[in-house]
Amino acid sequence: MLSLRHRLGLELARPLYDRTIREHPLTAVFWECTLRCNLRCRHCGSDCRVESAVKDMPLEDFLPALRSIARETDPHRVMINVTGGEPLVRNDLERCGRAFYELGFPWGMVTNGQLLTPERYGRLLQSGLRAVTVSLDGIGETHEWMRGLPGSYGKALSAIRLIAASGAVEYDVVTCVNKRSIKELNAIKETLIQSGVKEWRLFTVFPVGRAAEDPELRLSGAEFRTLMDFIKRTRREGRIMASYGCEGFLGKWEGDVRDNFFLCSAGITIASVMADGSIAACPSIRADYSQGNIYRDDFMDVWNNRYQVYRDRSWMRTDECASCKYWRYCRGNGMHLRDGEGKLLFCHLHRLQEP
């Protein structure tokens, strides 16, 4: 049940959401610059690997999309988020960053931290790096079980401490909470606080890619509620700002475990260019909801004139969503939780109500 406070907040948020959809201001572009990765994570939705059949996208192929954006928007207001795979496996990442910077775009990266040495971090800063997200999925062996590589915990923690000590960029740490790491939440929290981290995002696995067949990754309803209560309590403590990821409507936890009410921004304020050139939305969406391809389409033409599947989500109101009393707030959940046929793979609210 939603309290009166929750309902009032959600009702106030609805017209703001509607306005954002109408205006769909582009604020972030994710670039899947490579499908190569130096880890083999249990939950990877991309099935990345050390060597990929899909070659890294050349910088020169991506730049026309950025020039298209810069012609119609203020590039200083559009963040370029470099992701993969693992961006740091690209030897030319600094050159890429410098090109973004020269076009006026702030840029950041999502990394596992394995290759982030002080020397390379310094070069990235000189190339205009503005933001970094590092993954840490548990303490010691738990992180390494999740990431598939012995020794990866120490390198990830070293990268986090390097970034925190520098004070040079905006940064946060993300943790994928599973049946092992949920027992270590307090230990992870204290480790991050001692490392100087101020922002911590936690999320749960959705059933796509390798995670689809791995029961150890899925939290029970009781564990999910434990996570929500932990985040709420941590936020009240004020020692580190914890938040749940942007995915999923959370019922009575809305407004208490993240800074905003649920809003799936995929295709509304967020776009992505995938490794094969597909113009998509949130890179977590693994089903094919791409709207074009940079090798044949102008990026901003696609952004302005397509994406209807993201901006009018009435098509989602089927099956369990058809009669849901929370549709007006959830609007069908996150796009990354829909398969290629449009079927909902996972409902956060249902999971929170399970035993």
Side-chain angles (χ1 to χ4, degrees):
M1 292 289 293
L2 294 178
S3 68
L4 178 60
R5 175 178 67 88
H6 285 104
R7 288 189 181 276
L8 287 174
L10 288 163
E11 286 297 329
L12 289 171
R14 287 181 65 237
L16 299 177
Y17 190 179
D18 291 336
R19 178 179 176 181
T20 302
I21 293 173
R22 288 194 304 271
E23 297 178 354
H24 48 268
L26 183 63
T27 62
V29 175
F30 286 83
W31 180 34
E32 190 180 53
C33 71
T34 182
L35 288 182
R36 293 183 293 138
C37 188
N38 47 2
L39 298 181
R40 185 171 174 78
C41 304
R42 300 180 72 91
H43 62 306
C44 181
S46 303
D47 198 29
C48 300
R49 57 194 71 233
V50 174
E51 293 297 332
S52 173
V54 179
K55 299 299 183 183
D56 295 356
M57 180 183 290
L59 170 64
E60 289 72 20
D61 291 4
F62 181 53
L63 289 180
L66 297 189
R67 295 189 183 105
S68 173
I69 296 169
R71 283 195 298 268
E72 296 195 30
T73 70
D74 179 357
H76 297 91
R77 296 180 179 272
V78 182
M79 172 66 77
I80 308 303
N81 297 297
V82 184
T83 184
E86 169 51 47
L88 289 173
V89 302
R90 287 188 64 130
N91 294 327
D92 67 343
L93 186 58
E94 291 87 339
R95 185 171 74 91
C96 297
R98 173 56 60 180
F100 306 157
Y101 180 80
E102 290 175 351
L103 285 172
F105 292 93
W107 73 280
M109 66 177 177
V110 182
T111 178
N112 58 39
Q114 301 303 294
L115 299 175
L116 192 64
T117 62
E119 294 76 20
R120 185 141 202 217
Y121 182 54
R123 295 198 301 270
L124 290 166
L125 291 176
Q126 292 174 357
S127 298
L129 181 70
R130 290 274 299 278
V132 184
T133 292
V134 184
S135 299
L136 190 76
D137 292 324
I139 300 295
E141 292 181 359
T142 300
H143 175 88
E144 293 173 2
W145 167 82
M146 188 70 164
R147 292 286 165 173
L149 183 67
S152 57
Y153 172 75
K155 289 184 178 179
L157 190 57
S158 293
I160 291 167
R161 289 172 171 165
L162 171 65
I163 296 165
S166 77
V169 297
E170 296 181 8
Y171 70 95
D172 65 357
V173 172
V174 293
T175 297
C176 181
V177 182
N178 54 67
K179 284 188 174 295
R180 295 194 184 192
S181 60
I182 196 168
K183 301 170 185 176
E184 300 178 349
L185 290 178
N186 278 306
I188 300 170
K189 179 181 73 173
E190 294 302 325
T191 298
L192 294 180
I193 291 172
Q194 292 169 12
S195 300
V197 175
K198 304 296 183 185
E199 303 281 342
W200 181 27
R201 276 185 295 142
L202 302 96
F203 68 100
T204 48
V205 166
F206 50 95
V208 175
R210 296 175 192 155
E213 306 299 328
D214 195 333
E216 287 193 87
L217 297 181
R218 172 177 165 162
L219 299 183
S220 67
E223 289 168 330
F224 213 160
R225 293 189 293 274
T226 294
L227 173 60
M228 295 299 111
D229 288 336
F230 170 81
I231 295 173
K232 185 176 178 179
R233 186 169 60 251
T234 299
R235 289 171 68 88
R236 286 177 173 173
E237 289 173 357
R239 300 168 62 216
I240 186 172
M241 183 50 66
S243 62
Y244 187 67
C246 61
E247 61 203 62
F249 178 72
L250 303 173
K252 70 176 185 178
W253 282 277
E254 285 292 325
D256 293 326
V257 296
R258 51 192 169 205
D259 295 338
N260 54 276
F261 294 110
F262 172 65
L263 164 64
C264 178
S265 297
I268 297 171
T269 62
I270 293 174
S272 64
V273 174
M274 309 305 283
D276 64 354
S278 296
I279 301 173
C282 169
S284 293
I285 299 171
R286 305 321 304 180
D288 186 7
Y289 289 99
S290 299
Q291 301 299 294
N293 193 291
I294 63 169
Y295 290 110
R296 63 172 184 268
D297 300 305
D298 177 76
F299 183 93
M300 284 304 291
D301 179 63
V302 172
W303 178 256
N304 290 328
N305 298 304
R306 302 187 196 179
Y307 284 90
Q308 288 83 358
V309 70
Y310 294 94
R311 296 169 189 167
D312 178 2
R313 303 194 185 192
S314 57
W315 61 271
M316 291 182 173
R317 199 164 191 177
T318 59
D319 301 325
E320 61 191 284
C321 293
S323 59
C324 180
K325 62 182 179 180
Y326 296 119
W327 167 265
R328 65 193 289 110
Y329 308 131
C330 178
R331 308 191 194 202
N333 218 317
M335 280 291 291
H336 68 293
L337 298 174
R338 296 277 167 172
D339 66 14
E341 303 301 318
K343 182 178 176 57
L344 182 64
L345 298 172
F346 175 73
C347 174
H348 288 74
L349 195 58
H350 284 180
R351 178 63 53 81
L352 286 165
Q353 295 169 345
E354 291 176 357

